[in-house]
Amino acid sequence: MTDQPVHEVMDRLSPSVFAGLLTVNGVLTYANKAALDAIGARAEDVLGRPFDATPWWRFSEQGRQRLRESIRAAGRGLASRFDVPILDVNGRVRTMDFTLHPVYDDNGNVTYMVHSARDITERRQAERELRLTQFAVDHARGAMFQIDAEGRVRYANRAACDMLGYAREDLTGRLLSDIDPTMTEKAWREHLHELKAQGSARLESLARRSDGGLIPIEVTATYIEYEGEPVSFSYVDDLTARRASEEHIHYLTRFDGLTRLPNRTALHECLEQAIESAQLSNSSVALLIVGLDRLGLVNDALGHAGGDEVLRAIAERLSACAETPATVARIGGDEFAIMYTTDTQQDLHAEYCIRRILESVSEPLRINDQEICVTCSIGSAAYPTDGTDSGELFKNASSALRCAKGRGRNMQQAYAIATANRDPERLSLESALHGALKHGELSVHYQPRIDVDSGTPVGAEALLRWHHPDMGMISPARFIPIAEETGLIESIGEWVLRAACEQNRLWRESGLMPGRIGVNLSARQFRHADLALRVVQLLKETGLDPEHLELELTESMLMEDVDAAIATMTCLKDYGVSIALDDFGTGYSGLSYLKRFPIDTLKIDQSFVREITSDPTSAAIADAIIAMAQRLGLDVIAEGVETPEQCRLLRESGCRHMQGYLFARPVPAEDLTKLLLAPRWR
């Protein structure tokens, strides 16, 4: 038991191995240097003492009990092995793999015992971390797969099994092609090669469930080498719910929920496509805008529910009148549009087609056991004579409709004829408008935007007003189109922009904080290649910080030349000017374009706000716009808020910033100054 060779062997063991000798009664007679160094003890401090009373065993009562049992077992000739924690000289807990073996004499009697302990602290910690990682992966909400070099599933967590409807034992070992029909053997080799080169990849594909059904998935794959073998570790996301949500939003933004007809957005897209085809085939495109006459009287008599029934019935009649391949759309509260192509220009305004629409619409309707008669007016425009793009064609058809309504009910008007027979007042208005700016007849009013949570203003929109000395206040709807067609809108628009910037600077110098002032840009202004330079120069001249200016653009302006629009907007944004997309939801930019435009704010068009309390579709579209703006990190403003109920519904959907008659009408600068001095609004 005290043989010097035995001691020398034990002392030469690894520093992580403790060793020693015990008597049959469990008294320690020898401990190697590694064991003594671990607890900072000298040999004379521990030798000759019961082993279970030495410092190695003080940390764990359970360990001491196991040791006593092992000593008794060794006396009977049985070896023991177990894990035990000890506290070393540095106060660190170390896990030891402890063994105790009996040693026999020539007669087969146990004469002493050899004990050894190996430090397995790091191994046990690694095992615990591995078990924790395995538990986390197996219980993760996302589906995870490990695919080997042969394209077989080596591992799948619970979420992966649930997603595909397999038990784990049935999924493990399957070829990837069994669960992803696009991932053939060749495709897998190419994918693995790409993963090895790039480290990771993301792709969309299809997964086949155990019942044979296919689901859309997004795969994020990472390449690793484990023990020299290439492995793909993939996180798989089920896109079914996301696709359904996207399709629902896509439907809401392209179709009218009441009539199920395409809406203004879809119509503009169809119109653009038809014009492109007409350019190639040298054919023509006609656009008819149908406006119902005095639908408000029907709503007053039957209520909005009865009015909705009328709109649905008219939609069916217009669809029946339209000949394939015509497109029928609902573009507003009481307006519809019909777009069709023809080989000859003479057919575009064919009397029989328009007459059939007028007659069909005017046939009596029976709503709620009451007979209703509705008439309509029609304005028409044709490509290429009346416009070369969808925006111009739409504007001119709308102009023709206004002319038709001005002549009375149940009338039709072609744009070409309408422009040849302008009303007498038009010429005098044009002449007066040329001198309006010089004579000081134009002014800027401001309609504040309110944070409905705090009741404080967060900005305002600058709106042009014209007070003629003889004719009084002239509606912007009357003179703005004249300004655009004559080109006066450029000088007038720049004057408005300068006036708004100077007024904002004056407010701020006097200690008031009106927020950002929004100024509408005309299409002519926006098309200028040096627009950004002009705005920068104007801001320097007026002394207004760029962050206090917001330029409001319409979707149609952006779509005329998308790349040029993005370049101009980016320059403005880089300088610090904010960009708002006005009348959002009534244009035709589409979600794919929206994410490309560097905008800060979406303004929900008042047509949706007006019907939010009565039309579930308008409410759904408003909700979708607010949710989309929040996902894209954009501000959102609701226009035309007139009632507390509209305000409440918008606020519940997450819209905080609003403007409309509920809060304030557009007012001169001096009146807004008084309002800004108020501590809190509504």
Side-chain angles (χ1 to χ4, degrees):
M1 184 171 64
T2 58
D3 267 349
Q4 191 64 27
V6 174
H7 296 176
E8 291 177 357
V9 169
M10 291 185 174
D11 282 336
R12 286 198 297 268
L13 293 175
S14 167
S16 64
V17 178
F18 306 165
L21 303 176
L22 302 178
T23 66
V24 293
N25 297 321
V27 175
L28 180 67
T29 61
Y30 176 75
N32 71 348
K33 185 175 183 302
L36 295 171
D37 290 345
I39 60 172
R42 298 173 301 173
E44 53 267 31
D45 296 333
V46 294
L47 298 184
R49 296 174 58 187
F51 193 31
D52 62 358
T54 58
W56 290 287
W57 301 92
R58 289 177 183 170
F59 184 71
S60 171
E61 176 59 36
Q62 185 179 10
R64 285 195 296 276
Q65 184 60 36
R66 292 288 304 276
L67 174 64
R68 294 173 188 136
E69 294 173 358
S70 299
I71 291 173
R72 289 194 292 270
R76 300 193 302 272
L78 301 175
S80 300
R81 182 177 182 177
F82 56 90
D83 290 355
V84 62
I86 70 166
L87 193 68
D88 67 15
V89 67
N90 298 315
R92 185 170 66 99
V93 177
R94 298 163 69 175
T95 302
M96 310 299 295
D97 178 13
F98 179 81
T99 59
L100 185 64
H101 293 276
V103 178
Y104 304 92
D105 59 16
D106 295 339
N107 298 320
N109 298 317
V110 176
T111 58
Y112 62 92
M113 306 169 191
V114 176
H115 68 82
S116 65
R118 181 181 298 275
D119 188 348
I120 58 170
T121 304
E122 293 182 359
R123 190 180 78 191
R124 285 289 184 265
Q125 179 64 24
E127 290 173 352
R128 280 194 296 270
E129 292 176 356
L130 183 61
R131 287 195 298 271
L132 179 61
T133 300
Q134 180 66 40
F135 180 86
V137 170
D138 202 41
H139 290 78
R141 296 180 62 182
M144 299 182 186
F145 294 83
Q146 183 180 326
I147 313 296
D148 64 20
E150 301 301 319
R152 291 187 181 276
V153 178
R154 175 180 290 182
Y155 167 79
N157 68 351
R158 293 185 181 181
C161 297
D162 293 342
M163 182 180 74
L164 298 180
Y166 284 100
R168 180 171 296 172
E169 56 270 21
D170 295 330
L171 189 54
T172 304
R174 282 185 177 273
L175 283 171
L176 189 57
S177 57
D178 291 340
I179 57 177
D180 184 345
T182 68
M183 197 59 70
T184 62
E185 182 180 351
K186 178 182 177 182
W188 168 248
R189 288 198 303 270
E190 294 173 351
H191 175 66
L192 191 62
H193 179 74
E194 178 185 356
L195 274 183
K196 185 175 182 180
Q198 299 182 2
S200 63
R202 178 174 293 180
L203 56 93
E204 291 190 6
S205 188
L206 293 172
R208 181 182 287 114
R209 290 177 46 83
S210 60
D211 59 9
L214 294 175
I215 57 174
I217 57 172
E218 181 181 66
V219 182
T220 303
T222 303
Y223 178 88
I224 59 175
E225 289 191 3
Y226 180 71
E227 296 181 350
E229 179 184 353
V231 174
S232 169
F233 188 82
S234 300
Y235 180 90
V236 179
D237 189 14
D238 185 350
L239 300 181
T240 304
R242 188 194 306 177
R243 289 283 171 80
S245 177
E246 290 173 352
E247 289 175 2
H248 181 59
I249 292 176
H250 178 72
Y251 179 84
L252 289 175
T253 57
R254 290 176 54 84
F255 289 88
D256 174 53
L258 179 65
T259 63
R260 306 300 181 184
L261 292 176
N263 63 7
R264 185 188 296 254
T265 300
L267 174 67
H268 273 291
E269 291 178 357
C270 292
L271 197 52
E272 286 288 357
Q273 294 170 4
I275 290 174
E276 290 179 6
S277 299
Q279 289 172 339
L280 298 175
S281 61
N282 197 30
S283 56
S284 300
V285 180
L287 177 65
L288 310 180
I289 296 186
V290 181
L292 301 184
D293 298 322
R294 301 179 182 177
L295 184 62
L297 295 178
V298 176
N299 288 332
D300 291 342
L302 303 178
H304 285 288
D308 289 346
E309 288 296 323
V310 171
L311 289 170
R312 278 191 282 264
I314 296 301
E316 292 177 1
R317 291 184 178 184
L318 292 177
S319 298
C321 288
E323 297 180 353
T324 306
T327 298
V328 181
R330 184 189 178 202
I331 59 174
D334 60 356
E335 290 187 356
F336 296 83
I338 301 175
M339 184 272 294
Y340 61 93
T341 59
T342 182
D343 293 334
T344 62
Q345 181 72 24
Q346 288 74 21
D347 291 338
L348 287 172
H349 302 297
E351 184 68 24
Y352 79 93
C353 177
I354 293 177
R355 180 55 54 188
R356 184 169 58 175
I357 294 173
L358 293 172
E359 292 175 353
S360 176
V361 170
S362 63
E363 291 178 3
L365 288 166
R366 194 156 195 86
I367 306 294
N368 298 336
D369 295 327
Q370 185 173 346
E371 190 172 87
I372 300 295
C373 290
V374 179
T375 60
C376 69
S377 299
I378 302 174
S380 62
Y383 166 85
T385 57
D386 301 331
T388 57
D389 59 47
S390 67
E392 188 177 11
L393 207 59
F394 197 94
K395 182 187 71 174
N396 292 340
S398 297
S399 177
L401 174 62
R402 287 193 296 272
C403 183
K405 283 181 174 287
R407 295 168 53 206
R409 293 184 297 167
N410 205 30
M411 304 293 290
Q412 66 91 12
Q413 182 70 66
Y415 177 74
I417 299 174
T419 54
N421 299 280
R422 293 183 175 180
D423 59 281
E425 189 186 37
R426 165 85 183 214
L427 188 59
S428 61
L429 280 176
E430 279 189 25
S431 178
L433 188 57
H434 277 275
L437 188 58
K438 183 191 304 183
H439 299 146
E441 298 169 9
L442 300 181
S443 63
V444 178
H445 285 202
Y446 300 87
Q447 185 172 35
R449 301 166 182 166
I450 305 303
D451 184 329
V452 295
D453 285 349
S454 64
T456 57
V458 292
E461 181 178 1
L463 299 168
L464 180 63
R465 293 293 183 264
W466 181 15
H467 186 273
H468 190 276
D470 298 322
M471 293 182 283
M473 292 298 294
I474 300 174
S475 168
R478 188 82 174 96
F479 72 85
I480 291 294
I482 298 175
E484 290 176 339
E485 292 175 20
T486 59
L488 289 172
I489 194 67
E490 293 188 45
S491 58
I492 293 175
E494 186 169 343
W495 177 82
V496 171
L497 182 59
R498 181 179 297 275
C501 290
E502 288 177 345
Q503 181 60 59
N504 197 349
R505 190 204 72 225
L506 291 173
W507 274 323
R508 292 181 178 281
E509 287 177 351
S510 64
L512 297 176
M513 295 299 171
R516 287 200 299 260
I517 301 299
V519 179
N520 294 278
L521 289 184
S522 69
R524 281 178 176 266
Q525 285 177 286
F526 189 68
R527 280 198 295 263
H528 273 291
D530 61 346
L531 170 67
L533 185 61
R534 291 186 180 190
V535 172
V536 170
Q537 184 62 33
L538 188 146
L539 285 167
K540 290 180 179 177
E541 292 172 1
T542 58
L544 181 68
D545 193 304
E547 69 177 352
H548 302 315
L549 174 64
E550 183 175 83
L551 297 179
E552 298 190 9
L553 312 173
T554 62
E555 297 178 69
S556 59
M557 290 162 53
L558 305 183
M559 297 304 294
E560 289 180 3
D561 187 340
V562 172
D563 293 334
I566 291 174
T568 299
M569 295 166 71
T570 301
C571 289
L572 291 167
K573 283 273 292 179
D574 289 345
Y575 189 68
V577 176
S578 297
I579 305 293
L581 196 55
D582 199 12
D583 300 334
F584 184 74
T586 64
Y588 51 99
S589 64
L591 298 180
S592 61
Y593 280 107
L594 181 60
K595 65 182 180 182
R596 295 178 57 192
F597 295 133
I599 62 177
D600 303 281
T601 303
L602 294 181
K603 299 190 71 176
I604 304 175
D605 184 69
Q606 58 185 344
S607 63
F608 299 126
V609 174
R610 184 168 53 247
E611 298 178 357
I612 195 173
T613 59
S614 58
D615 182 7
T617 300
S618 294
I621 292 176
D623 285 345
I625 292 173
I626 294 167
M628 181 171 56
Q630 291 172 342
R631 291 289 296 274
L632 294 175
L634 305 177
D635 293 332
V636 61
I637 299 173
E639 298 182 292
V641 181
E642 298 181 352
T643 69
E645 183 66 9
Q646 292 170 348
C647 177
R648 184 186 65 80
L649 292 175
L650 289 164
R651 181 65 192 92
E652 289 177 353
S653 296
C655 180
R656 294 178 53 198
H657 296 170
M658 305 178 196
Q659 70 181 80
Y661 288 178
L662 176 64
F663 310 102
R665 292 175 177 269
V667 295
E670 54 269 27
D671 291 345
L672 184 57
T673 300
K674 298 175 183 177
L675 294 174
L676 290 173
L677 291 170
R680 179 182 172 88
W681 296 14
R682 294 187 184 271

